[in-house]
Amino acid sequence: MRTPIVAGNWKMNLGTDEAVELARGIGENAPTNGVTCIVAPVSVHLSSVAEALAASPVLLSAQNMHWADSGAYTGEVAGPMLKELAVRYVILGHSERRQYFGETDEEVNRKVLSALEQDFRPIVCFGETLEERESGRTEAKVEFQVRAALSGLTVEQAERVILAYEPIWAIGTGKTASPQQAQQVHSFIRDIVGERFDRSTANSMPILYGGSVKPRNFGDLIDEKDIDGGLVGGASLKVDSFVELARIAHSV
Ligand code: 13P
């Protein structure tokens, strides 16, 4: 069985003290079993947040990483640096990185491969725009993105991947995909993973949903067979709503 996951993508928010306070609150109140809780602060807060979470079961993710181990890449952060900070997960290919920083499918794939080689679990994001959905191109888009991101992976590597379906039209807009809309894409993607690797890899791969996840809509989403948790922006920035989401996932 797949353990549900609630991952908070804090994006470019919070000062150090606020991040530490939020991490502490989540660490002290989130369920300790039956759900994996992850938080992803900005990279300059990883060290302080790691300290705040040291005695808790909440795990740490980065929001991005470069594929190279070091080098002349001004402004970037490398995997070995994240390793030193107790980071276990890394969000890759978020639509905001693709849209605002021109990240390509090929770059996302290089990052996924590098993350796996360094023993991180990548949380690989994909999703369609509103225009793509309305013109019937959702499946073509998500299949292309997922195949590209997982290109060149061995089965053993694929077993450590977490996917996150984030329809771009649902991110930060208050418009959530309906549980049926999300389930349809999740099940489609699980079949693609099954075709690309094998059925057992597909069945064990967590596929999260992201896009205006809130305590009021999360229960119905996570009740769907192929929705294994949430990648959460806005609602992960408050202790109460994050903990509520973790409890909902815990009780599935
Ligand atoms: P919101 O939950 O704020 O819509 O953000 C979703 C997201 O992009 C998580 O990565």
Side-chain angles (χ1 to χ4, degrees):
M1 274 316 290
R2 303 183 293 266
T3 304
I5 297 172
V6 175
N9 176 6
W10 293 354
K11 307 192 180 183
M12 197 176 71
N13 291 300
L14 310 173
T16 313
D17 292 350
E18 292 168 317
V20 165
E21 198 183 324
L22 177 58
R24 261 201 208 115
I26 291 172
E28 283 164 9
N29 295 289
T32 52
N33 58 27
V35 53
T36 303
C37 292
I38 301 168
V39 296
V42 292
S43 57
V44 291
H45 295 158
L46 282 166
S47 171
S48 327
V49 169
E51 223 172 278
L53 292 175
S56 93
V58 178
L59 300 167
L60 200 56
S61 175
Q63 296 178 13
N64 181 32
M65 66 169 248
H66 197 274
W67 58 76
D69 283 357
S70 65
Y73 297 102
T74 302
E76 291 290 318
V77 176
M81 301 163 186
L82 299 174
K83 263 276 139 69
E84 291 180 339
L85 304 175
V87 171
R88 304 259 302 272
Y89 300 81
V90 56
I91 298 170
L92 294 175
H94 193 283
S95 63
E96 288 152 14
R97 300 244 19 117
R98 296 177 191 258
Q99 185 182 348
Y100 303 128
F101 305 99
E103 221 168 82
T104 64
D105 287 300
E106 196 208 332
E107 287 167 340
V108 174
N109 176 238
R110 287 179 82 170
K111 291 179 178 194
V112 170
L113 285 165
S114 171
L116 288 165
E117 274 157 22
Q118 298 179 69
D119 276 337
F120 292 104
R121 290 197 70 178
I123 302 174
V124 182
C125 305
F126 60 96
E128 82 286 3
T129 62
L130 186 58
E131 193 204 343
E132 285 160 343
R133 173 160 285 271
E134 287 178 344
S135 59
R137 286 180 287 148
T138 298
E139 291 195 345
K141 170 74 176 292
V142 297
E143 174 172 1
F144 185 86
Q145 285 186 316
V146 169
R147 283 193 189 274
L150 304 185
S151 173
L153 266 66
T154 62
V155 173
E156 292 69 34
Q157 287 177 319
E159 280 165 359
R160 304 212 325 279
V161 169
I162 297 168
L163 292 177
Y165 170 53
E166 298 206 309
I168 294 166
W169 50 270
I171 297 177
T173 58
K175 278 194 228 160
T176 322
S178 70
Q180 296 71 26
Q181 281 175 322
Q183 165 59 26
Q184 197 194 354
V185 173
H186 283 228
S187 145
F188 172 73
I189 287 301
R190 202 176 296 289
D191 286 344
I192 300 290
V193 173
E195 234 175 70
R196 166 69 178 77
F197 298 98
D198 55 53
R199 201 63 232 175
S200 112
T201 306
N203 286 341
S204 61
M205 188 175 286
I207 309 180
L208 314 183
Y209 168 80
S212 298
V213 167
K214 310 286 173 203
R216 74 180 135 72
N217 58 31
F218 192 46
D220 288 340
L221 286 159
I222 202 163
D223 271 349
E224 294 290 339
K225 182 166 140 298
D226 291 295
I227 301 181
D228 305 314
L231 180 55
V232 187
S236 73
L237 291 169
K238 294 266 179 299
V239 174
D240 289 357
S241 48
F242 187 102
V243 168
E244 178 74 30
L245 293 169
R247 290 197 181 131
I248 292 167
H250 175 261
S251 65
V252 169

